[in-house]
Each structure stands twice: as C-alpha cells, then as structure tokens.
Amino acid sequence: MAALETLIEALKRLPGVGQKSAQRMAYHLLQHDREGAQQLSTALRSAAEQIGHCRRCHTFSETEICTICADPARDPKLLCVVESPADQAALERSNSYRGYYFVLLGRISPLDGVGVGQIGAAELLQRAAETGVEEVILASSFTAEGEATAYVLAEALRARGLKATRLARGVPVGSELEYVDLGTIAHALVDRR
Ligand code: ZN
C-alpha cells in the first residue's frame, strides 16, 4: 500500500513522532476519522501555501506586514527579540508586553553550523537602528545556544550605541520560552536588566 507508507513517512517528519506513533496516527485517521483526515489535509495545504513571513519582524503572517507590526497602539520604544513565532505567541499570551517584535527564526548553534549570519542578525540591527527604538529586549531561550545568541546580539547592539536588555532569570535554565508558564514570563520581562 504505497499511499499508506507515504502517509506514515510524512507523519514521521513531525517532531517527536517515530515509526510507531506515525503508524498509529495513520491507522486511526483511516479507520476512524476519514473526515478528520480530509480536514487535516486541507488545513495543512492552506497553511503551507498561505502563511509566509512578515517583512518587518519575520514572524508567520498571511499578509506582507503582520497584525502586530501593523498595530499603531504598540509601544515603538520597545523591540523584543525572540527565537521563534511560538516564543512570540507565548509572550503575547502573557499579556505583559506591548512593544514590537523581531523573530530570529533560530539561534546560534555552532555544532549545527548556525552562526550569527544565519539568524537574521543583520536585519535585526537594521530594525533596531530605526528611529524610535529605545530598548531591545533579548528574549532568546535560556538554553546554552539561546544564551550565546543573546550575548552575541547584545554585543553587536551595544557596539552600535543601542540599549540591549535580557529577560531576567527566573525563567528556568535550559528552557524554551514556549513552555514556560505565563506568570514567569511576565516577571522575567518586568525584571529584565
Ligand atoms: Zn511583523
């Protein structure tokens, strides 16, 4: 059954999904939820085709400029740098930040060959140098790579005379922002230094 094999292989592309779980999902959809399978297929196709990146902050967006960048009620003095659209969503859910964002789409990882050139640092420096930006908050994760990313970016920003701050500790070491509880994120934002 080529189609079944292809489906299982495709499901295995998802993070944390191995052969067994992929098989379970495929059999479940085919046996119990054909409608769900159609729905999933339509949703995947339209997301993959319609969602691009905001030209200004690089987060996911269906429009050229995302809704946050297009919101004039945001505080233009603050620019928060995050590693991913998921981390940005976590900060938004915490309801404790009213500035704009810059999404790196990655973090420095020498072992994987990801250097400062691959994470959009040049675009960030350009964005941070725009008139009105007074503080760049580095909210990369508290993993070794996230810390290295924050360090390198802070140095580059300060070298250009820009103010760079880091989310306060309190966010557990080794953690991805996306999985940190909202209260902790809010505190880390308030206590940034
Ligand atoms: Zn944007």
Side-chain angles (χ1 to χ4, degrees):
M1 276 190 291
L4 181 57
E5 285 309 312
T6 309
L7 173 59
I8 291 169
E9 283 308 307
L11 288 166
K12 276 162 69 180
R13 298 179 77 111
L14 292 168
V17 176
Q19 180 71 21
K20 267 205 175 131
S21 329
Q23 266 171 2
R24 203 158 44 229
M25 289 180 205
Y27 281 104
H28 169 80
L29 286 168
L30 294 169
Q31 203 178 333
H32 303 293
D33 196 6
R34 288 282 171 130
E35 198 189 316
Q38 295 288 3
Q39 210 178 347
L40 184 61
S41 135
T42 312
L44 271 176
R45 178 176 293 272
S46 53
E49 284 173 359
Q50 288 161 24
I51 299 176
H53 293 282
C54 168
R55 220 180 49 188
R56 201 159 160 71
C57 74
H58 298 178
T59 197
F60 290 146
S61 179
E62 288 183 52
T63 47
E64 207 173 316
I65 301 292
C66 73
T67 47
I68 293 177
C69 285
D71 182 357
R74 291 261 166 175
D75 185 351
K77 295 194 287 297
L78 299 176
L79 185 65
C80 182
V81 180
V82 291
E83 284 175 12
S84 67
D87 287 350
Q88 180 194 22
L91 277 167
E92 280 297 288
R93 278 196 304 275
S94 80
N95 257 330
S96 44
Y97 180 67
R98 290 296 301 159
Y100 291 103
Y101 291 94
F102 188 90
V103 182
L104 292 172
L105 300 171
R107 58 189 174 209
I108 292 172
S109 175
L111 291 178
D112 304 314
V114 182
V116 70
Q118 276 85 52
I119 59 169
E123 289 93 334
L124 166 63
L125 292 174
Q126 217 173 359
R127 171 72 180 87
E130 281 178 26
T131 346
V133 179
E134 290 180 8
E135 179 184 351
V136 180
I137 304 162
L138 299 163
S140 50
S141 64
F142 285 87
T143 59
E145 288 125 348
E147 293 284 18
T149 304
Y151 179 79
V152 170
L153 293 177
E155 292 287 291
L157 288 160
R158 284 172 195 146
R160 282 161 181 76
L162 298 158
K163 183 181 175 193
T165 54
R166 178 80 170 119
L167 280 194
R169 287 279 178 199
V171 172
V173 175
S175 55
E176 307 279 348
L177 218 50
E178 172 185 0
Y179 304 116
V180 174
D181 75 274
L182 303 179
T184 305
I185 292 181
H187 276 269
L189 261 170
V190 173
D191 297 339
R192 65 186 186 266
R193 60 212 144 89

Coordinates of all heavy atoms in Angstrom, one line a residue, residues 11-56:
L11 N 4.1 11.6 8.2 CA 3.9 11.9 9.6 C 5.1 11.9 10.5 O 5.3 12.6 11.5 CB 2.8 10.9 10.2 CG 1.4 11.1 9.7 CD1 0.5 9.9 10.0 CD2 0.8 12.4 10.3
K12 N 6.1 11.0 10.1 CA 7.3 10.9 10.8 C 8.2 12.2 10.7 O 9.1 12.4 11.5 CB 8.2 9.7 10.3 CG 7.7 8.4 10.9 CD 8.2 7.2 10.1 CE 9.7 7.0 10.1 NZ 10.1 5.9 9.3
R13 N 7.8 13.1 9.8 CA 8.5 14.4 9.8 C 8.2 15.3 11.0 O 8.9 16.2 11.2 CB 8.2 15.1 8.5 CG 8.5 14.4 7.2 CD 8.1 15.2 6.0 NE 9.1 16.2 5.8 CZ 9.9 16.3 4.8 NH1 9.9 15.3 3.9 NH2 10.7 17.3 4.6
L14 N 7.1 15.0 11.6 CA 6.7 15.8 12.8 C 7.7 15.6 13.9 O 8.2 14.5 14.1 CB 5.3 15.5 13.2 CG 4.2 15.8 12.2 CD1 2.9 15.2 12.6 CD2 4.0 17.3 12.2
P15 N 8.0 16.7 14.7 CA 8.9 16.5 15.9 C 8.4 15.5 16.9 O 7.2 15.5 17.2 CB 9.0 17.9 16.5 CG 7.8 18.6 16.0 CD 7.5 18.0 14.6
G16 N 9.2 14.6 17.3 CA 8.9 13.6 18.3 C 8.0 12.4 17.8 O 7.5 11.6 18.6
V17 N 7.8 12.4 16.5 CA 7.0 11.3 16.0 C 7.9 10.2 15.3 O 8.5 10.5 14.3 CB 5.9 11.8 15.0 CG1 5.1 10.6 14.4 CG2 4.9 12.7 15.7
G18 N 7.9 9.0 15.9 CA 8.7 7.9 15.3 C 7.8 7.0 14.5 O 6.6 7.3 14.3
Q19 N 8.3 5.9 14.1 CA 7.6 4.9 13.3 C 6.3 4.5 13.9 O 5.2 4.5 13.3 CB 8.5 3.7 13.0 CG 7.8 2.6 12.2 CD 7.7 3.0 10.7 OE1 8.4 3.9 10.2 NE2 6.8 2.4 10.0
K20 N 6.3 4.1 15.2 CA 5.1 3.6 15.9 C 4.0 4.6 16.0 O 2.9 4.3 15.6 CB 5.5 3.2 17.3 CG 5.8 1.7 17.3 CD 5.6 1.1 18.7 CE 5.8 -0.4 18.8 NZ 6.7 -0.8 19.9
S21 N 4.3 5.8 16.4 CA 3.3 6.9 16.5 C 2.7 7.2 15.2 O 1.5 7.5 15.0 CB 3.8 8.1 17.2 OG 4.8 7.8 18.1
A22 N 3.6 7.3 14.2 CA 3.2 7.6 12.9 C 2.2 6.6 12.3 O 1.1 6.9 11.8 CB 4.3 7.8 11.9
Q23 N 2.5 5.3 12.6 CA 1.6 4.3 12.2 C 0.2 4.4 12.9 O -0.8 4.3 12.3 CB 2.2 2.9 12.5 CG 3.0 2.3 11.4 CD 3.7 1.1 11.9 OE1 3.7 0.7 13.0 NE2 4.5 0.5 11.0
R24 N 0.3 4.6 14.2 CA -0.9 4.8 15.0 C -1.8 5.9 14.4 O -3.0 5.7 14.3 CB -0.6 5.0 16.5 CG -1.7 4.6 17.4 CD -1.1 4.3 18.8 NE -0.2 5.3 19.3 CZ 1.0 5.1 19.8 NH1 1.4 3.8 20.0 NH2 1.8 6.0 20.2
M25 N -1.2 7.0 14.1 CA -1.9 8.2 13.6 C -2.6 7.8 12.3 O -3.7 8.1 12.0 CB -1.0 9.4 13.4 CG -0.6 10.0 14.7 SD 0.5 11.4 14.3 CE 1.5 11.5 15.7
A26 N -1.8 7.2 11.4 CA -2.3 6.9 10.1 C -3.4 5.9 10.1 O -4.5 6.1 9.5 CB -1.1 6.3 9.2
Y27 N -3.3 4.9 10.9 CA -4.4 3.9 11.1 C -5.6 4.5 11.7 O -6.7 4.2 11.3 CB -3.9 2.6 11.8 CG -3.1 1.7 11.0 CD1 -1.7 1.6 11.2 CD2 -3.7 0.9 10.1 CE1 -1.0 0.8 10.4 CE2 -3.0 0.0 9.3 CZ -1.6 0.0 9.4 OH -0.8 -0.9 8.7
H28 N -5.4 5.3 12.7 CA -6.5 6.0 13.3 C -7.3 6.8 12.3 O -8.5 6.7 12.2 CB -6.0 6.9 14.5 CG -7.1 7.8 15.0 ND1 -8.1 7.4 15.9 CD2 -7.4 9.1 14.7 CE1 -8.9 8.3 16.1 NE2 -8.6 9.4 15.4
L29 N -6.6 7.7 11.6 CA -7.3 8.5 10.6 C -8.1 7.7 9.6 O -9.2 8.0 9.3 CB -6.3 9.5 9.9 CG -5.7 10.6 10.8 CD1 -4.6 11.3 10.1 CD2 -6.8 11.6 11.1
L30 N -7.4 6.7 9.1 CA -8.1 5.9 8.0 C -9.2 5.1 8.5 O -10.2 4.9 7.9 CB -7.0 5.0 7.3 CG -6.0 5.8 6.6 CD1 -4.8 4.9 6.2 CD2 -6.6 6.5 5.4
Q31 N -9.1 4.6 9.7 CA -10.1 3.6 10.3 C -11.2 4.4 10.9 O -12.4 4.0 10.7 CB -9.4 2.7 11.3 CG -10.1 1.4 11.5 CD -9.4 0.5 12.5 OE1 -8.2 0.6 12.6 NE2 -10.1 -0.3 13.2
H32 N -10.9 5.4 11.7 CA -12.0 6.1 12.5 C -12.3 7.5 12.1 O -13.3 8.0 12.6 CB -11.5 6.1 14.0 CG -11.2 4.8 14.5 ND1 -12.1 3.8 14.7 CD2 -10.0 4.2 14.9 CE1 -11.5 2.7 15.2 NE2 -10.2 3.0 15.3
D33 N -11.5 8.1 11.3 CA -11.8 9.6 11.1 C -11.4 10.1 9.7 O -10.5 10.9 9.6 CB -11.0 10.4 12.2 CG -11.5 11.8 12.4 OD1 -12.5 12.1 11.7 OD2 -10.9 12.6 13.1
R34 N -12.1 9.6 8.7 CA -11.8 10.0 7.4 C -12.0 11.5 7.2 O -11.3 12.2 6.5 CB -12.7 9.2 6.4 CG -12.3 7.8 6.2 CD -11.0 7.7 5.3 NE -10.6 6.3 5.3 CZ -10.3 5.6 4.3 NH1 -10.4 6.1 3.1 NH2 -9.9 4.3 4.4
E35 N -13.1 12.0 7.9 CA -13.4 13.4 7.8 C -12.3 14.2 8.4 O -11.9 15.2 7.8 CB -14.7 13.7 8.5 CG -15.4 15.0 8.2 CD -16.5 15.3 9.1 OE1 -17.3 14.4 9.4 OE2 -16.6 16.4 9.5
G36 N -11.7 13.8 9.5 CA -10.6 14.5 10.1 C -9.4 14.5 9.2 O -8.7 15.4 9.2
A37 N -9.2 13.3 8.5 CA -8.1 13.2 7.6 C -8.2 14.3 6.5 O -7.2 14.9 6.1 CB -8.0 11.8 7.0
Q38 N -9.4 14.4 6.0 CA -9.6 15.4 4.9 C -9.4 16.8 5.5 O -8.7 17.7 4.8 CB -11.1 15.4 4.4 CG -11.4 14.1 3.7 CD -10.8 14.0 2.3 OE1 -10.0 14.9 1.9 NE2 -11.0 12.9 1.6
Q39 N -9.9 17.1 6.7 CA -9.7 18.4 7.3 C -8.3 18.7 7.5 O -7.8 19.8 7.3 CB -10.5 18.3 8.7 CG -11.0 19.6 9.1 CD -11.7 19.4 10.5 OE1 -12.0 18.3 10.9 NE2 -12.0 20.5 11.1
L40 N -7.5 17.7 8.0 CA -6.1 17.9 8.3 C -5.4 18.2 7.0 O -4.5 19.1 6.9 CB -5.6 16.6 8.9 CG -4.1 16.6 9.3 CD1 -3.9 17.6 10.4 CD2 -3.8 15.2 9.9
S41 N -5.7 17.5 5.9 CA -5.1 17.7 4.6 C -5.3 19.1 4.1 O -4.4 19.8 3.6 CB -5.5 16.6 3.7 OG -5.8 17.1 2.4
T42 N -6.6 19.5 4.2 CA -6.9 20.9 3.7 C -6.2 21.9 4.5 O -5.6 22.9 4.0 CB -8.5 21.1 3.8 OG1 -9.1 20.0 3.3 CG2 -8.9 22.4 3.1
A43 N -6.2 21.8 5.9 CA -5.6 22.8 6.7 C -4.1 22.9 6.5 O -3.5 23.9 6.4 CB -5.9 22.4 8.2
L44 N -3.5 21.7 6.3 CA -2.0 21.7 6.1 C -1.7 22.4 4.8 O -0.8 23.2 4.7 CB -1.5 20.2 6.0 CG -1.1 19.6 7.3 CD1 -0.7 18.1 7.0 CD2 0.1 20.3 7.9
R45 N -2.5 22.0 3.7 CA -2.2 22.6 2.4 C -2.4 24.1 2.5 O -1.5 24.9 2.0 CB -3.1 22.0 1.4 CG -2.9 22.6 0.0 CD -3.8 21.9 -1.1 NE -3.3 20.5 -1.2 CZ -2.4 20.2 -2.1 NH1 -1.8 21.1 -2.8 NH2 -2.0 18.9 -2.3
S46 N -3.5 24.6 3.1 CA -3.6 26.1 3.0 C -2.6 26.8 3.9 O -2.2 27.9 3.6 CB -5.1 26.5 3.3 OG -5.5 25.9 4.5
A47 N -2.3 26.2 5.0 CA -1.3 26.8 5.9 C 0.1 26.9 5.2 O 0.7 27.9 5.1 CB -1.1 26.1 7.2
A48 N 0.5 25.8 4.5 CA 1.8 25.7 3.9 C 1.8 26.7 2.7 O 2.8 27.3 2.3 CB 2.1 24.3 3.4
E49 N 0.6 26.9 2.0 CA 0.6 27.8 0.9 C 0.4 29.3 1.2 O 1.0 30.1 0.6 CB -0.5 27.4 -0.1 CG -0.1 26.1 -0.9 CD -1.3 25.6 -1.7 OE1 -2.4 26.2 -1.6 OE2 -1.1 24.6 -2.4
Q50 N -0.4 29.5 2.3 CA -0.7 30.9 2.6 C 0.1 31.6 3.6 O 0.2 32.8 3.6 CB -2.2 31.0 3.0 CG -3.2 30.7 1.9 CD -4.5 30.3 2.4 OE1 -4.9 30.6 3.5 NE2 -5.3 29.5 1.6
I51 N 0.7 30.9 4.5 CA 1.5 31.5 5.6 C 2.9 31.8 5.2 O 3.7 30.9 4.9 CB 1.4 30.7 6.9 CG1 0.0 30.5 7.3 CG2 2.2 31.4 8.0 CD1 -0.2 29.7 8.5
G52 N 3.3 33.1 5.1 CA 4.6 33.5 4.8 C 5.2 34.1 6.0 O 4.8 33.8 7.2
H53 N 6.2 35.0 5.8 CA 6.8 35.7 6.9 C 6.6 37.2 6.8 O 6.6 37.8 5.7 CB 8.3 35.5 6.9 CG 8.6 34.1 7.3 ND1 8.6 33.6 8.6 CD2 8.9 33.0 6.5 CE1 8.9 32.3 8.6 NE2 9.1 31.9 7.3
C54 N 6.3 37.9 7.9 CA 6.1 39.3 8.0 C 7.4 40.0 7.5 O 8.5 39.6 7.9 CB 5.8 39.8 9.4 SG 5.9 41.6 9.6
R55 N 7.3 41.0 6.6 CA 8.5 41.6 6.1 C 9.3 42.4 7.1 O 10.5 42.6 7.0 CB 8.1 42.5 4.9 CG 9.0 42.5 3.7 CD 8.5 43.4 2.7 NE 8.2 44.7 3.2 CZ 7.6 45.7 2.6 NH1 7.2 45.5 1.3 NH2 7.3 46.8 3.1
R56 N 8.5 42.8 8.2 CA 9.2 43.6 9.1 C 9.8 42.9 10.3 O 10.9 43.1 10.7 CB 8.1 44.6 9.7 CG 8.6 45.8 10.3 CD 7.5 46.9 10.3 NE 7.8 47.9 11.3 CZ 8.8 48.8 11.2 NH1 9.6 48.7 10.1 NH2 9.0 49.7 12.1

